[in-house]
């Protein structure tokens, strides 16, 4: 076993941190308050190469392996406090770029990937519906083949980046009698008649990442916009979820490191009863627990990424990492607030936002309960 990053990965990590700290944190309190997406930050990240990290160079990407990608996203999460921006970038990478790369025709890849990688276009995926979340494959959106077109009808909810999207990968059932085997994925471009944003949604956290509901009303899509084959929707969704569950929480590792350092520094400087609060075992214990959670989270996430780099499908390891890292980040944010006392609860200190942002980690990409169902299922339950 080799637990160390290479010299190149270390150097890249430092570069990402410097870029993120220098370019991505301006006016964040205001942007969070106003639910404002950081458009400039998105473009800067794209220019730096973040959106294209794991995409092959022939489509404009960086051609990084998954471990290097995780290393860079962890560094981004450490340097950039705008968890909403990072979430939007992750959604774009794992739910639009990766399915296109893995299932797109050469023509589709050439048409969309360079624009997504360069940040010129924003890609999203739309699976969740008002009546189907965890039970995603019971979706009601219908697709019907008519000559050289598909006609889509239905609605989608909780769609990240919806208002920014230039293209959406939408999941719909072509043959409900076949159940999940009837689900297919279609590429729908912005401006296609019958495709609209029906309602903007407001969130507790990740407020700088836009979200909305989508409506498809007799939306006509050219037959060549089918992604993969008819009926391959579940395979496409599973493949993108595997990447997403491993990589989307890499930035949480960086955020946990940042909260650990901020809290340690505060516990050293803040004095009560004539001594630094960090000298009280109850406070020092929280710092130790933050470190324990960070170390365990790193090991779980790196292992899942390493298994994928070996060509395996780490269903169990990705589910374990997803549950553990998302819950660890929430607990660490709570501890950070507690260590900062009343100041931690104030917006100005930028710690309460970390908790609001972290809470969604146990919901998106499959809830904690669903991950546990997957793990228990592998034990025959
Ligand atoms: C920040 C954020 C971003 C998102 N972005 C997108 C996106 O871009 N595209 C998209 O398609 N979707 C997106 N989603 C939707 C997300 O995938 C769903 O919210 C999630 O799958 C859960 O579905 P639900 O909200 O309908 O909850 P439900 O499925 O209704 O679950 C409600 C509760 O019941 C529990 N539960 C459900 N079934 C079981 C079971 N069998 N056993 C035990 N407990 C169970 C759940 O764990 C949960 O606690 C996003 C969600 C969030 C919060």
């Amino acid at each position: 076993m080799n637990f160390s990053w290479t010299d190149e990965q270390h150097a890249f990590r430092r570069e990402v941190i410097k870029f993120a700290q220098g370019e991505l944190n301006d006016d964040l309190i205001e942007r969070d308050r106003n639910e404002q997406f950081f458009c400039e930050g998105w473009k800067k990240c794209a220019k730096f190469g973040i959106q294209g990290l794991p995409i092959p160079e022939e489509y404009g990407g960086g051609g990084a392996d998954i471990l290097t990608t995780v290393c860079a996203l962890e560094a981004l999460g450490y340097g950039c406090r705008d968890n909403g921006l990072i979430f939007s970038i992750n959604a774009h990478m794992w739910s639009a770029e990766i399915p296109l790369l893995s299932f797109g025709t050469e023509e589709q890849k050439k048409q969309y990937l360079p624009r997504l990688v360069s940040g010129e276009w924003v890609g999203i995926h739309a699976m969740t519906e008002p009546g189907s979340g965890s039970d995603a494959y019971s979706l009601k959106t219908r697709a019907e083949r008519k000559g050289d077109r598909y006609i889509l009808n239905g609605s989608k909810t909780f769609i990240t980046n919806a208002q920014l999207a230039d293209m959406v990968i939408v999941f719909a059932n072509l043959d409900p009698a076949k159940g999940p085997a009837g689900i297919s994925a279609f590429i729908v471009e912005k401006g296609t008649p019958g495709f609209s944003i029906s309602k903007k949604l407001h969130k507790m956290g990740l407020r700088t990442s836009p979200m909305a509901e989508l409506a498809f009303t007799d939306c006509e899509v050219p037959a060549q916009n089918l992604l993969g084959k008819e009926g391959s929707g579940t395979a496409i969704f599973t493949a993108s979820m595997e990447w997403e569950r491993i990589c989307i929480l890499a930035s949480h590792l960086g955020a946990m490191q940042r909260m650990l350092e901020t809290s340690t520094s505060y516990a050293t400087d803040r004095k009560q009863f004539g001594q630094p609060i960090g000298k009280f075992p109850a406070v020092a214990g929280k710092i130790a627990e933050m470190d324990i959670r960070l170390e365990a989270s790193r090991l779980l996430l790196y292992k899942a990424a390493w298994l994928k780099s070996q060509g395996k499908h780490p269903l169990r390891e990705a589910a374990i990492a997803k549950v553990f890292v998302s819950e660890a980040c929430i607990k660490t944010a709570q501890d950070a607030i507690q260590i900062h006392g009343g100041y931690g609860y104030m917006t100005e200190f930028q710690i309460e936002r970390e908790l609001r942002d972290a809470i969604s980690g146990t919901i998106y990409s499959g809830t904690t309960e669903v991950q546990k169902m997957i793990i228990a299922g592998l034990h025959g339950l």
Side-chain angles (χ1 to χ4, degrees), residues 29 33 343 345-353 356:
I29 294 176
R33 188 174 288 135
Y343 298 100
Y345 198 65
M346 300 299 125
T347 307
E348 187 191 337
F349 270 66
Q350 307 207 55
I351 294 178
E352 56 85 31
R353 190 186 59 241
R356 288 190 284 108

Side-chain angles (χ1 to χ4, degrees), residues 87 91 95 124-130 132-135 157-161 203 206 211 237 360 363-370 373:
F87 184 72
S95 65
I124 61 174
H125 89 160
M127 170 59 97
T128 308
E129 300 184 359
S132 57
S134 301
D135 187 13
T157 193
F158 302 146
I159 308 305
T160 299
N161 295 341
K203 305 199 291 305
L206 300 176
M211 179 182 269
F237 186 66
S360 56
I363 300 172
Y364 57 69
S365 313
T367 65
T368 285
E369 291 76 13
V370 165
M373 226 164 60

